[in-house]
Protein backbone atom coordinates (compact mmCIF):
# COMPACT_ATOMS: atom_id res chain seq x y z
CA UNK A 1 0.00 0.00 0.00
CA UNK A 2 1.07 3.59 -0.59
CA UNK A 3 1.28 4.08 3.20
CA UNK A 4 4.49 2.01 3.19
CA UNK A 5 6.27 4.41 0.82
CA UNK A 6 8.85 6.57 2.59
CA UNK A 7 8.03 9.49 0.28
CA UNK A 8 4.37 9.34 1.26
CA UNK A 9 5.21 9.10 4.97
CA UNK A 10 7.41 12.18 4.71
CA UNK A 11 4.88 14.07 2.57
CA UNK A 12 2.13 13.26 5.06
CA UNK A 13 4.21 14.55 7.98
CA UNK A 14 5.07 17.80 6.23
CA UNK A 15 1.42 18.26 5.23
CA UNK A 16 0.33 17.85 8.84
CA UNK A 17 3.02 20.25 10.04
CA UNK A 18 2.23 22.93 7.45
CA UNK A 19 -1.54 22.62 7.84
CA UNK A 20 -1.23 23.11 11.59
CA UNK A 21 1.28 25.96 11.28
CA UNK A 22 -0.90 27.87 8.82
CA UNK A 23 -4.19 27.21 10.61
CA UNK A 24 -3.83 30.33 12.74
CA UNK A 25 -5.32 33.80 12.63
CA UNK A 26 -3.01 35.71 10.33
CA UNK A 27 -2.58 39.06 8.73
CA UNK A 28 -5.04 39.34 5.82
CA UNK A 29 -2.15 39.47 3.34
CA UNK A 30 -0.84 36.15 4.70
CA UNK A 31 -4.04 34.28 3.87
CA UNK A 32 -3.37 33.92 0.15
CA UNK A 33 0.18 32.64 0.61
CA UNK A 34 -0.97 30.27 3.37
CA UNK A 35 -3.71 28.94 1.08
CA UNK A 36 -1.18 28.32 -1.70
CA UNK A 37 1.30 26.61 0.64
CA UNK A 38 -1.48 24.39 1.94
CA UNK A 39 -2.58 23.43 -1.58
CA UNK A 40 1.01 22.63 -2.54
CA UNK A 41 1.69 20.30 0.42
CA UNK A 42 -1.61 18.50 -0.09
CA UNK A 43 -0.72 18.10 -3.78
CA UNK A 44 2.56 16.38 -2.88
CA UNK A 45 0.85 13.74 -0.80
CA UNK A 46 -2.10 13.31 -3.16
CA UNK A 47 0.06 12.91 -6.26
CA UNK A 48 2.20 10.22 -4.63
CA UNK A 49 -0.96 8.28 -3.84
CA UNK A 50 -2.50 8.84 -7.26
CA UNK A 51 0.66 7.80 -9.10
CA UNK A 52 0.93 4.67 -6.99
CA UNK A 53 -2.73 3.79 -7.51
CA UNK A 54 -2.58 4.14 -11.30
CA UNK A 55 -0.27 1.15 -11.34
CA UNK A 56 2.12 1.71 -14.22
CA UNK A 57 5.65 3.09 -14.04
CA UNK A 58 4.89 5.74 -16.69
CA UNK A 59 1.80 7.05 -14.91
CA UNK A 60 3.49 6.84 -11.54
CA UNK A 61 6.50 8.86 -12.73
CA UNK A 62 4.20 11.55 -14.14
CA UNK A 63 2.50 12.03 -10.77
CA UNK A 64 5.77 11.82 -8.87
CA UNK A 65 7.13 14.65 -11.02
CA UNK A 66 4.03 16.70 -10.21
CA UNK A 67 4.58 15.91 -6.51
CA UNK A 68 8.20 17.05 -6.84
CA UNK A 69 7.11 20.34 -8.39
CA UNK A 70 4.56 20.89 -5.64
CA UNK A 71 7.18 20.19 -2.96
CA UNK A 72 9.52 22.74 -4.54
CA UNK A 73 6.66 25.23 -4.69
CA UNK A 74 5.82 24.66 -1.03
CA UNK A 75 9.48 25.11 -0.06
CA UNK A 76 9.74 28.39 -1.98
CA UNK A 77 6.49 29.78 -0.55
CA UNK A 78 7.34 28.71 2.98
CA UNK A 79 10.62 30.58 2.76
CA UNK A 80 8.81 33.63 1.35
CA UNK A 81 6.22 33.52 4.16
CA UNK A 82 9.04 33.39 6.68
CA UNK A 83 10.86 36.33 5.11
CA UNK A 84 7.63 38.33 5.20
CA UNK A 85 7.21 37.51 8.89
CA UNK A 86 4.08 35.40 8.39
CA UNK A 87 5.74 32.21 9.67
CA UNK A 88 8.25 31.83 12.48
CA UNK A 89 11.86 30.85 11.82
CA UNK A 90 11.45 27.46 13.55
CA UNK A 91 8.41 26.61 11.41
CA UNK A 92 10.23 27.60 8.23
CA UNK A 93 13.34 25.57 9.11
CA UNK A 94 11.32 22.48 10.04
CA UNK A 95 9.22 22.75 6.88
CA UNK A 96 12.30 23.18 4.68
CA UNK A 97 13.96 20.17 6.30
CA UNK A 98 10.84 18.02 5.92
CA UNK A 99 10.27 19.13 2.32
CA UNK A 100 13.93 18.41 1.50
CA UNK A 101 13.57 14.91 2.95
CA UNK A 102 10.39 14.43 0.93
CA UNK A 103 12.06 15.54 -2.30
CA UNK A 104 15.00 13.17 -1.72
CA UNK A 105 12.54 10.30 -1.19
CA UNK A 106 10.69 11.33 -4.36
CA UNK A 107 13.97 11.27 -6.33
CA UNK A 108 14.41 7.66 -5.22
CA UNK A 109 10.91 6.74 -6.33
CA UNK A 110 11.41 8.44 -9.69
CA UNK A 111 14.42 6.19 -10.30
CA UNK A 112 12.44 3.09 -9.34
CA UNK A 113 8.69 3.79 -9.34
CA UNK A 114 6.45 1.47 -7.38
CA UNK A 115 3.60 -0.27 -9.09
CA UNK A 116 0.26 -1.10 -7.58
CA UNK A 117 -0.83 -4.63 -8.24
CA UNK A 118 -4.53 -5.42 -8.05
Amino acid sequence: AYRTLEAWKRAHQVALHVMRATDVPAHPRARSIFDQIRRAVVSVEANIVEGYALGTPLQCRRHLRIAMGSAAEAECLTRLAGELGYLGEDTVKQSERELGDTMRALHGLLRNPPTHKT
Side-chain angles (χ1 to χ4, degrees), residues 45-107:
E45 184 175 5
N47 273 288
I48 293 168
V49 172
E50 189 170 356
Y52 177 81
L54 289 172
T56 69
L58 183 64
Q59 291 171 317
C60 187
R61 278 191 182 99
R62 177 177 180 271
H63 286 276
L64 293 174
R65 283 192 296 275
I66 293 168
M68 182 70 76
S70 293
E73 176 187 8
E75 183 181 53
C76 171
L77 293 173
T78 299
R79 181 175 296 129
L80 177 62
E83 290 173 1
L84 292 169
Y86 299 152
L87 288 174
E89 185 179 338
D90 290 343
T91 298
V92 172
K93 285 183 179 182
Q94 182 178 346
S95 297
E96 287 179 336
R97 185 175 52 254
E98 290 174 344
L99 286 161
D101 291 344
T102 301
M103 287 189 274
R104 281 186 288 284
L106 282 167
H107 275 295

Side-chain angles (χ1 to χ4, degrees), residues 10-22 41 45 98:
R10 292 182 181 278
H12 184 69
Q13 286 305 306
V14 74
L16 289 171
H17 171 75
V18 167
M19 296 298 273
R20 289 177 181 135
T22 58
V41 295
E45 184 175 5
E98 290 174 344

